[in-house]
Amino acid sequence: MAKAKTAYVCNACGADYVRWLGQCTECKAWNTITEIRLAAAPASRSRQGYAGATQAKVQTLSDVDLEQLPRFSSSFAEFDRVLGGGIVPGSAILIGGSPGAGKSTLLLQTMCRLAEQMKVLYVTGEESLQQVALRAQRLALPTNHLRMLAETSVEVICDLADQEQPKVMVIDSIQVMHLADIQSAPGSVSQVRESAAYLTRYAKQKGVAIVMVGHVTKEGALAGPKVLEHCVDCSILLEGDTDSRFRTLRGHKNRFGPANEIGVFAMTGQGLKEVTNPSAIFLQRGEQHGSGSVVMVVWEGTRPLLVELQALVDMSQLANPRRVAVGMETTRLAMLLAVLHRHGRLMMADQDVFVNVVGGVRVMETGADLALLLAIVSSFKERVLPRDLIVFGEVGLAGEIRPVPNGQARLQEAAKHGFRKAIVPLANCPKEQIKGMEVIGVRTLDEALEACAD
Ligand code: TYD
Ligand code: MG
């Protein structure tokens, strides 16, 4: 048998090294480099089968056969949207999420329906066949066609898949899978990385779409090295607190469509249900409407989303007042507070500042800056903002309000939901008036503060 090779991989960024280092020179993280044992490549029969035995050939781009590219629908429009239109045959898809997020539920619902049209193999390594069957029965899913396998050895799975010839295969989850060639335990970095690479190769060569489930650590990183994300075609995260009803499916990487698209689901007693009008759910505001609350329009993937933002500013008892942001970046909050101090002349050095994006959604875009500042000022001055006001815009370090993409579409979405007043960057003001909506364009932070003072 050929000698097993070792490599050193950074768990945070996936960089490869020939020897161990205390600090990763790529991402500068400390103590993230671990030794992994690579499988002895040419020695094993099964490995050779999928890795080396292809008849590689060079061809012109225009000659590439596009016949296989039609996608199949996952039966959930929101899931298809995140995938960029559906599942592409022969692609490797990774679905990440914290335990209990609903990954197995989503895939079971999808695959039971998909199996009515084509051959689907569901490999469960975590739950027993009875557990899966019981869940399918409880959710009243069609169970006549879905093929099931309880197995954790990747070689056995691929051998059985050769006989079954499925079009789609689910691996739940990649963390329990193992290859015989690799000595370390399932779940270790080397097993996860090599199993995923093996399955991805299998997907490509046999034209089977493989959906792998991956668990996510508390910090939101996929367990195992980042390398997992490099080798798959699509990487999707199912996010949402287990105590909140809503789950968002967010595309992080997609070789077949736009990334950063989101799909929204609600976890109900009958499994996951699609939410077709997501703006409406993030806006379930009670009759009680106090200071510190403002609605913003964020742009997620290819559509606008209305989201409520709440801020609480309170006298601090601590030497270092707290800055806490849920659903947003804390560094952005600190930066905006500095802008508010310098250009808005509002001092909050002795105040605790908490901000929360309602509904458990995470907002990444800078278009939320202005709404965040106005919510903070509203709470600080205990001044309630109008209920029918929406805000968006980016705030620069010089206190200027910068335009954001798709201003017109954002305003139209807000008007559709009954908002009558908008404070937006001047350059985002529509050329033609939007019916029933008063749009105030602002250039600086001062102008924005003035616009909501009356
Ligand atoms: P599951 O799909 O097992 O999560 P994962 O595979 O991501 O670890 O989802 C389990 C959670 O979903 C569990 O906390 C219970 C909840 N759930 C419902 O609320 N309703 C349902 O119909 C189902 C099937 C699960
Ligand atoms: Mg599961």
Side-chain angles (χ1 to χ4, degrees):
M1 196 177 138
K3 191 170 167 280
K5 284 194 182 146
T6 53
Y8 296 86
V9 177
C10 170
N11 284 343
C13 71
D16 271 296
Y17 296 94
V18 286
R19 61 190 175 84
W20 189 84
L21 294 173
Q23 184 187 23
C24 172
T25 52
E26 295 286 324
C27 70
K28 309 283 180 251
W30 286 94
N31 286 330
T32 52
I33 296 176
T34 36
E35 178 179 357
I36 72 164
R37 211 163 282 264
L38 304 174
S44 127
R45 174 199 58 83
S46 57
R47 176 158 285 269
Q48 218 171 16
Y50 304 125
T54 41
Q55 270 132 29
K57 99 178 167 217
V58 179
Q59 52 185 328
T60 315
L61 188 56
S62 58
D63 293 341
V64 176
D65 188 9
L66 291 178
E67 198 194 337
Q68 278 201 326
L69 252 194
R71 303 157 180 258
F72 15 91
S73 165
S74 68
S75 79
F76 277 121
E78 292 287 299
F79 194 4
D80 285 348
R81 164 195 286 281
V82 178
L83 288 168
I87 301 172
V88 175
S91 62
I93 301 164
L94 178 68
I95 300 203
S98 47
K103 302 176 295 294
S104 306
T105 308
L106 174 71
L107 288 175
L108 187 64
Q109 285 181 273
T110 308
M111 295 308 155
C112 280
R113 294 198 202 125
L114 204 58
E116 297 194 309
Q117 300 152 36
M118 65 191 66
K119 206 145 191 196
V120 182
L121 178 63
Y122 192 111
V123 184
T124 165
E126 289 185 356
E127 291 165 292
S128 68
L129 291 178
Q130 284 83 355
Q131 281 173 314
V132 180
L134 216 64
R135 181 184 298 179
Q137 188 194 38
R138 206 168 56 70
L139 300 180
L141 293 169
T143 49
N144 289 347
H145 301 281
L146 186 65
R147 305 285 284 165
M148 295 294 304
L149 169 68
E151 181 57 65
T152 53
S153 157
V154 178
E155 286 98 341
V156 174
I157 292 169
C158 288
D159 280 347
L160 286 169
D162 275 344
Q163 292 164 28
E164 281 285 321
Q165 305 234 313
K167 284 262 182 282
V168 181
M169 180 152 86
V170 172
I171 305 289
D172 189 358
S173 69
I174 192 70
Q175 267 95 8
V176 297
M177 295 297 149
H178 57 86
L179 281 163
D181 288 350
I182 296 171
Q183 278 93 30
S184 53
S188 65
V189 178
S190 31
Q191 282 288 8
V192 171
R193 172 177 137 141
E194 293 293 304
S195 299
Y198 191 98
L199 287 163
T200 307
R201 274 199 302 273
Y202 184 83
K204 296 271 158 349
Q205 293 194 351
K206 305 281 165 148
V208 190
I210 296 191
V211 185
M212 292 179 250
V213 171
H215 294 293
V216 159
T217 59
K218 263 209 211 81
E219 296 81 41
L222 278 161
K226 204 81 174 144
V227 150
L228 257 187
E229 272 187 35
H230 296 313
C231 84
V232 296
D233 298 309
C234 293
S235 166
I236 295 172
L237 270 184
L238 186 62
E239 303 174 325
D241 288 335
T242 29
D243 27 314
S244 143
R245 226 159 63 82
F246 299 107
R247 303 281 189 273
T248 51
L249 204 54
R250 186 187 291 271
H252 272 261
K253 162 185 172 180
N254 194 348
R255 288 191 180 140
F256 309 109
N260 262 332
E261 191 68 81
I262 73 163
V264 183
F265 292 87
M267 180 61 95
T268 68
Q270 284 80 46
L272 286 163
K273 289 244 159 67
E274 287 180 280
V275 176
T276 39
N277 183 6
S279 288
I281 59 153
F282 295 122
L283 281 180
Q284 288 166 343
R285 293 213 268 185
E287 286 305 308
Q288 285 289 324
H289 168 63
S291 60
S293 159
V294 67
V295 175
M296 59 187 172
V297 193
V298 291
W299 195 264
E300 287 291 350
T302 53
R303 64 178 165 183
L305 202 60
L306 294 171
V307 184
E308 184 188 347
L309 184 71
Q310 288 182 320
L312 177 68
V313 180
D314 194 26
M315 198 66 185
S316 181
Q317 308 294 329
L318 305 169
N320 279 325
R322 303 218 280 167
R323 271 93 184 84
V324 181
V326 180
M328 276 189 161
E329 271 181 49
T330 314
T331 43
R332 193 99 200 144
L333 172 64
M335 195 191 89
L336 291 173
L337 285 174
V339 173
L340 197 58
H341 180 215
R342 224 6 230 287
H343 302 286
R345 292 164 299 282
L346 287 171
M347 244 269 283
M348 286 184 205
D350 55 351
Q351 307 279 331
D352 286 329
V353 181
F354 304 92
V355 290
N356 178 35
V357 184
V358 178
V361 73
R362 261 159 57 106
V363 176
M364 314 282 197
E365 74 154 4
T366 51
D369 291 353
L370 185 57
L372 181 64
L373 282 190
L374 294 189
I376 291 171
V377 173
S378 159
S379 173
F380 185 56
K381 298 199 164 174
E382 287 187 49
R383 191 183 292 146
V384 181
L385 293 172
R387 231 187 128 81
D388 57 357
L389 170 76
I390 63 114
V391 180
F392 61 83
E394 184 181 327
V395 177
L397 288 183
E400 80 280 20
I401 311 295
R402 295 162 177 269
V404 294
N406 309 305
Q408 179 89 11
R410 292 184 204 230
L411 287 168
Q412 269 156 355
E413 174 80 2
K416 209 168 78 189
H417 284 87
F419 288 85
R420 296 282 161 262
K421 197 173 170 190
I423 300 179
V424 303
L426 189 65
N428 282 128
C429 277
K431 299 208 174 53
E432 280 173 35
Q433 216 200 337
I434 292 180
K435 210 166 148 247
M437 186 174 245
E438 181 198 352
V439 181
I440 306 170
V442 292
R443 268 172 310 185
T444 60
L445 183 59
D446 273 340
E447 288 180 19
L449 292 175
E450 210 169 283
C452 58
D454 43 53

